[in-house]
Amino acid sequence: AYERMCRCLCRQSNSVVVCVGYRLAPEHPFPAQFEDCLTAAIHFLRTAQDHGVDPSRIVICGDSSGGTLTAAVAQALVNRRDLPKLRAQILIYPFLQCVDLNLPSYQQNARVPILLKERTLVLGLKYINKDLSIIELFKGCHVSEDQRLKYQKWVSPDYIPHEFKIRGYKPSPKCVPLKEIYEMAEVVFDPVFSPLLAEDSVIAQLPETFLLTCEFDVLRDDGLLYKKRLEDHGIKVTWCHLQEGFHGVV
């Protein structure tokens, strides 16, 4: 599916492009995909010159779940002193958090193809091999009070600019956390699964970022929230928003 796109990127940017054929879920459970991408990135950073590449000019890139993996790999590399620093990361409509599934973009675009709101959750649960109730996740019952207090400074509709709420948004009533749900859902708060939830000490060390969001995409607000976090820590962000775009448009 990505062969032509990668060839196009290679040709138009005059760059060496490496595409990682990582193992897929559910046959290979999370976090096998992240481990494959991280292993490939480390190997290429170490051997870049063998491929005629300047190690100081390596950029990692991904779209959708590939954007999640890109963000997670970039975070995993920030404290590596034995490797060259990444030049930049490119995140194309990434999935970045599972704390609030009722952000404005989730409400506005719940039935917009190709990434319907329910489909997002079904795929996510298959990825982590969990049999959780989608309804409870939609309500927010999977977030404990402690987690809600911790993450509200990073994940909140209050941080979404007003112009992204004018198509309609209603604040969601808070759900009483359900112990059996939030204990089973603990993995979704791992920054490898939800990179938006990484600690400030990690975010502050990330490389320059290009971030693409689409108006008609349930994941739009994940990108907007990550953009804010990066900029709050002084990370240079180039942001492109496709006003008529939808998930998968690339």
Side-chain angles (χ1 to χ4, degrees), residues 25-26 30 65 95 98 101 106 115-132 134 137 187-188 193:
F30 169 86
S65 58
F95 170 91
C98 204
L101 302 167
Y106 268 103
L115 194 63
L116 310 181
K117 178 175 177 176
E118 185 167 324
R119 180 174 169 80
T120 307
L121 267 293
V122 169
L123 292 173
L125 291 173
K126 284 186 176 181
Y127 180 42
I128 58 173
N129 200 25
K130 293 288 185 182
D131 186 24
L132 294 171
I134 288 179
L137 289 172
V187 66
V188 305
F193 186 83

Side-chain angles (χ1 to χ4, degrees), residues 141-181:
C141 304
H142 65 298
V143 187
S144 70
E145 286 297 342
D146 288 345
Q147 289 166 330
R148 194 165 283 162
L149 287 170
K150 178 178 180 180
Y151 298 134
Q152 65 184 3
K153 59 185 175 182
W154 301 329
V155 184
S156 170
D158 295 342
Y159 303 138
I160 304 300
H162 175 71
E163 61 264 31
F164 293 103
K165 298 176 182 176
I166 56 178
R167 282 201 292 125
Y169 166 67
K170 292 182 179 178
S172 302
K174 285 187 178 178
C175 174
V176 176
L178 298 177
K179 193 169 189 285
E180 65 273 20
I181 297 291

Side-chain angles (χ1 to χ4, degrees), residues 78-116:
V78 297
N79 290 317
R80 293 290 296 257
R81 300 290 175 253
D82 58 325
L83 297 169
K85 290 291 186 186
L86 291 173
R87 171 64 183 85
Q89 62 175 344
I90 297 173
L91 309 179
I92 301 171
Y93 38 72
F95 170 91
L96 296 170
Q97 63 84 31
C98 204
V99 174
D100 190 342
L101 302 167
N102 286 298
L103 292 169
S105 62
Y106 268 103
Q107 292 188 19
Q108 296 160 350
N109 304 310
R111 294 179 175 82
V112 175
I114 54 175
L115 194 63
L116 310 181

Side-chain angles (χ1 to χ4, degrees), residues 44-56:
F44 192 75
L45 284 162
R46 284 177 173 155
T47 62
Q49 291 178 321
D50 297 345
H51 303 278
V53 172
D54 180 347
S56 69

Side-chain angles (χ1 to χ4, degrees), residues 220-238:
R220 180 197 70 202
D221 294 349
D222 283 23
L224 296 178
L225 292 172
Y226 206 50
K227 173 179 178 286
K228 181 182 186 304
R229 280 208 74 192
L230 291 167
E231 290 176 336
D232 285 349
H233 286 278
I235 308 299
K236 182 180 178 184
V237 178
T238 300

